[in-house]
Amino acid sequence: MTVIAFSDIIHLYAAFARALQRGLDQRAATLESGVEVGVACLYTSATTFAGFASLAFVPTPVVRQLGIVLGAGVAIALLLALTLVPIALDALPGLERGARAESKFASGWVDAVTRFAERLATGRPIIVNLAFVVLTAVSIYGITQINIETSFVGRLSEDNPARISQEFLK
């Protein structure tokens, strides 16, 4: 949920920063970023909501509840992003026309990590690909080991009175 919520915020802020760099004032940049990115956020959130909400039709109670919670979370995240982020952007103090709305530390850190990843991928492609294959194999193995017990009584030990009673009734 955090990733979904922050992706809309990041897109809104990036559009805001681009509008400031083009020379718009703060209020106009806020409005333009909301119009420019708001529709895209609405469409992506609607498709994500539909995907999560479809899990509500799975007969497993745990998955059904997960679908409902995640679907509601996507809707709430969109609502908060499209209402609170423009308010926060408009209230930011001291931004002027043409200002760069980014941190030198953050952009420097992102540039350094990107350069490192590029050097690693181009300098050691075999190691990168082998690490990807190993990680994929470990992930597939881990997924095959997942066992969700949906029966409450099935989670109890063999000598639990509730389980003994259920066996007697069968």
Side-chain angles (χ1 to χ4, degrees), residues 14 26 33 44 53 62 70-71 108 128 147 149 166:
Q26 192 168 344
S33 67
T44 57
V62 172
L70 291 178
V128 170
N147 182 18
E149 178 61 58
Q166 184 184 32

Side-chain angles (χ1 to χ4, degrees), residues 44-130:
T44 57
S45 293
T47 56
T48 306
F49 173 81
F52 284 145
S54 67
L55 292 174
F57 299 106
V58 173
T60 308
V62 172
V63 176
R64 183 178 300 150
Q65 184 176 8
L66 178 70
I68 292 168
V69 169
L70 291 178
V74 167
I76 292 168
L78 175 68
L79 179 68
L80 290 175
L82 293 181
T83 55
L84 296 182
V85 171
I87 292 169
L89 292 178
D90 193 49
L92 285 174
L95 293 179
E96 301 162 1
R97 289 177 179 239
R100 291 193 56 92
E102 64 184 33
S103 162
K104 288 183 181 181
F105 171 75
S107 64
W109 182 79
V110 170
D111 289 343
V113 170
T114 304
R115 282 192 302 274
F116 171 75
E118 180 184 13
R119 282 194 313 271
L120 181 64
T122 57
R124 307 250 190 249
I126 294 173
I127 293 173
V128 170
N129 285 320
L130 285 175

Side-chain angles (χ1 to χ4, degrees), residues 142-165:
I143 288 170
T144 62
Q145 301 306 307
I146 294 174
N147 182 18
I148 299 175
E149 178 61 58
T150 59
S151 168
F152 177 73
V153 177
R155 296 180 199 166
L156 303 174
S157 64
E158 297 279 338
D159 60 342
N160 188 289
R163 189 140 180 203
I164 293 170
S165 298

